[in-house]
């Protein structure tokens, strides 16, 4: 399989290296080979080529079976104009590859049940929800401007724009996922204020009629933010627009113990997908070998499960490899090993492991 690899900035290279080791090991075990092509995107691309998303990166990604991405961004590039920032590269890539559905599973591993700052009563119902975030529309891709009028008043505008077809395909992806899960779907919007949300709700209701087996509920985004803390076990699949999904997924990550636990898959119409942790480049801990590589490693698992299984003749072995990686992570956590971000509930010195030790433990377990 051909994998485009974007190590990116900050902790990106450290976590990607661990994830690639795990992937190679999975290939040996399950009988497949990956060819990795390193490409630049984000701050490192700006430094080397002057732009956050070089043409060559885009064309390599388009010709690959999947794209693996660490993280991009950092203080060094913060003063650049918006269209030249590292994040513009990421948005450009998501947009150019047509990856409109961002799947963000939020699953609490039982070994980490006390690692969350929240006390969850997960004894009866496990915490296992998925946020399906719209990824190529809304305020991220709407028109922006900043201007100063004759009185010296400075004004900035970001427009949140959605067309019916963009909402429909995303909501449909959510329903399809719900059908494979617990058949429950919350559509999250701000229809009491925003026009784009009122259209969202109208379209969601149309799509809903095709899925009578799915229990459907509209929920306002402020209420959803509260419900995620009050009783996150009520959720199965959440569909929502780009900005709301960005915010809610960071919030939801803390239910699992750490932002460093959440993987994601960005999918479009075909089998090509982009796989990245939901967290950022964490410049403050970059180069110290203390980052948590699990979100990145679980992103590899999602890549096997989605893109590689779909692109291959025999998808079964990729699905098996995906599950084996998840089980290896589980097993290492069950044995008490923790990276620094997961030690809030206490851990002995020998089980407090570095990024590379965590990666190697998972690889060995596999
Ligand atoms: C994410 C990140 C990105 C986003 C940033 C880095 C542009 O926060 O993937 O959630 O906002 O989409
Ligand atoms: Mg985010």
């Amino acid at each position: 399989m051909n994998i485009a690899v974007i190590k990116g900035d900050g902790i990106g290279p450290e976590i990607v290296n661990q994830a690639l080791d795990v992937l190679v090991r999975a290939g040996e075990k399950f009988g497949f080979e990956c060819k990795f092509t390193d490409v630049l995107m984000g701050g490192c691309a700006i430094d080397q080529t002057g732009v956050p998303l070089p043409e060559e990166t885009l064309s390599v990604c388009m010709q690959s079976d999947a794209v693996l991405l660490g993280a991009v961004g950092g203080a060094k590039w913060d003063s650049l104009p918006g269209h030249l920032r590292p994040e513009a590269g990421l948005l450009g890539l998501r947009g150019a590859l047509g990856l409109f559905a961002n799947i963000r599973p939020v699953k609490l591993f039982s070994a980490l049940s006390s690692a969350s700052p929240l006390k969850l009563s997960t004894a009866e119902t496990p915490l296992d929800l998925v946020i399906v975030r719209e990824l190529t529309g809304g305020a991220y891709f709407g028109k922006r401007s900043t201007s100063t009028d004759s009185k010296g008043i400075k004004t900035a505008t970001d427009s949140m724009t959605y067309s019916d077809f963009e909402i429909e395909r995303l909501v449909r992806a959510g329903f399809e996922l719900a059908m494979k899960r617990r058949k429950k779907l919350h559509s999250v919007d701000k229809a009491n204020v925003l026009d784009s949300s009122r259209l969202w709700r109208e379209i969601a209701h149309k799509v809903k009629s095709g899925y009578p087996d799915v229990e459907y509920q509209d929920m306002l985004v402020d209420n959803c933010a509260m419900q995620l803390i009050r009783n996150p076990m009520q959720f199965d699949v959440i569909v929502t627009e780009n900005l709301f999904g960005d915010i809610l997924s960071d919030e939801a990550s803390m239910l699992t113990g750490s932002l460093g636990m959440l993987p994601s898959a960005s999918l479009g119409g075909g089998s090509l997908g982009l796989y990245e942790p939901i967290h950022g480049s964490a410049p403050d801990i970059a180069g110290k070998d203390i980052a948590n590589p699990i979100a990145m490693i679980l992103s590899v698992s999602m890549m096997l499960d989605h893109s590689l299984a779909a692109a291959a003749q025999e998808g079964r072995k990729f699905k098996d490899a995906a599950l084996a990686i998840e089980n290896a992570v589980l097993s290492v956590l069950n044995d008490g090993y923790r990276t620094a971000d997961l030690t809030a509930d206490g851990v002995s010195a020998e089980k407090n492991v570095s990024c590379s030790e965590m990666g190697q433990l998972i690889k060995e377990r596999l």
Side-chain angles (χ1 to χ4, degrees):
M1 309 306 288
N2 289 307
I3 317 288
V5 179
I6 302 169
K7 293 188 179 175
D9 311 316
I11 59 169
E14 300 163 46
I15 57 171
V16 171
N17 287 340
Q18 296 312 314
L20 293 182
D21 270 3
V22 170
L23 177 56
V24 169
R25 178 73 195 108
E28 287 162 8
K29 193 174 151 77
F30 290 90
F32 61 86
E33 247 179 79
C34 294
K35 181 172 165 273
F36 302 120
T37 309
D38 274 304
V39 281
L40 294 169
M41 195 272 283
C44 53
I46 295 170
D47 288 349
Q48 291 185 45
T49 72
V51 290
L53 177 61
E55 287 282 326
E56 195 207 328
T57 297
L58 198 52
S59 75
V60 169
C61 291
M62 278 172 168
Q63 287 158 35
S64 300
D65 293 303
V67 184
L68 271 182
L69 163 64
V72 296
K76 185 178 172 190
W77 306 282
D78 272 351
S79 54
L80 290 170
H83 68 286
L84 286 177
R85 287 180 60 110
E87 292 80 2
L90 179 57
L91 302 196
L93 189 61
R94 289 169 176 172
L97 299 179
L99 307 173
F100 61 85
N102 183 213
I103 316 290
R104 301 191 153 185
V106 181
K107 205 164 162 178
L108 175 62
F109 293 125
S110 58
L112 295 181
S113 55
S114 57
S116 170
L118 294 154
K119 292 195 203 81
L120 299 173
S121 33
T122 49
E124 280 155 37
T125 328
L127 170 67
D128 179 3
L129 62 92
V130 184
I131 296 176
V132 180
R133 169 190 175 193
E134 202 290 325
L135 204 60
T136 52
Y140 278 66
F141 288 83
K143 279 207 186 84
R144 332 179 184 287
S145 64
T146 306
S147 60
T148 309
D149 72 6
S150 55
K151 293 191 195 106
I153 295 173
K154 203 166 179 185
T155 305
T157 309
D158 297 278
S159 32
M160 187 188 267
T161 303
Y162 271 107
S163 296
D164 49 8
F165 74 95
E166 295 175 284
I167 301 168
E168 192 194 321
R169 65 189 179 185
L170 191 277
V171 172
R172 198 171 289 287
F175 272 107
E176 288 295 326
L177 186 61
M179 286 299 286
K180 294 186 205 137
R181 293 175 45 97
R182 300 197 305 278
K183 299 193 171 59
K184 228 176 142 180
L185 185 120
H186 285 79
S187 174
V188 172
D189 60 37
K190 189 70 184 171
N192 52 350
V193 177
L194 304 175
D195 260 21
S196 56
S197 280
R198 285 188 272 271
L199 179 62
W200 184 281
R201 201 173 273 210
E202 181 191 321
I203 303 296
H205 287 194
K206 271 191 198 143
V207 178
K208 168 179 97 155
S209 59
Y211 296 89
D213 294 342
V214 176
E215 190 190 321
Y216 174 95
Q217 208 179 310
D218 295 306
M219 191 177 265
L220 295 173
V221 64
D222 46 352
N223 183 27
C224 182
M226 184 272 282
Q227 296 293 344
L228 275 170
I229 304 295
R230 192 185 74 89
N231 176 20
M233 280 73 75
Q234 71 186 288
F235 296 107
D236 178 19
V237 176
I238 294 174
V239 289
T240 193
E241 67 89 38
N242 207 341
L243 182 59
F244 297 162
D246 179 45
I247 298 168
L248 293 176
S249 58
D250 267 33
E251 183 195 8
S253 75
M254 283 315 290
L255 302 167
T256 72
S258 163
L259 182 59
M261 292 299 297
L262 257 55
S264 88
S266 304
L267 307 171
S271 67
L272 175 63
L274 167 69
Y275 299 85
E276 55 171 321
I278 80 152
H279 62 69
S281 61
D284 52 325
I285 60 163
K288 296 187 181 158
D289 195 25
I290 58 171
N292 183 351
I294 293 181
M296 189 72 234
I297 290 170
L298 292 175
S299 299
V300 163
S301 170
M302 291 189 86
M303 177 181 82
L304 289 158
D305 197 42
H306 293 272
S307 289
L308 301 199
Q313 295 281 339
E314 302 157 73
R316 191 70 255 163
K317 64 184 172 196
F318 293 101
K319 297 250 172 208
D320 291 345
L323 194 62
I325 291 177
E326 198 178 318
N327 284 334
V329 170
L330 210 68
S331 157
V332 171
L333 290 173
N334 283 342
D335 284 351
Y337 293 100
R338 304 282 185 270
T339 41
D341 55 314
L342 292 170
T343 54
D345 60 332
V347 61
S348 64
E350 85 270 13
K351 299 238 157 148
N352 183 352
V353 295
S354 66
C355 174
S356 49
E357 283 165 342
M358 179 57 92
Q360 291 316 298
L361 281 164
I362 293 166
K363 183 175 133 183
E364 279 161 26
R365 214 52 65 96
L366 189 63

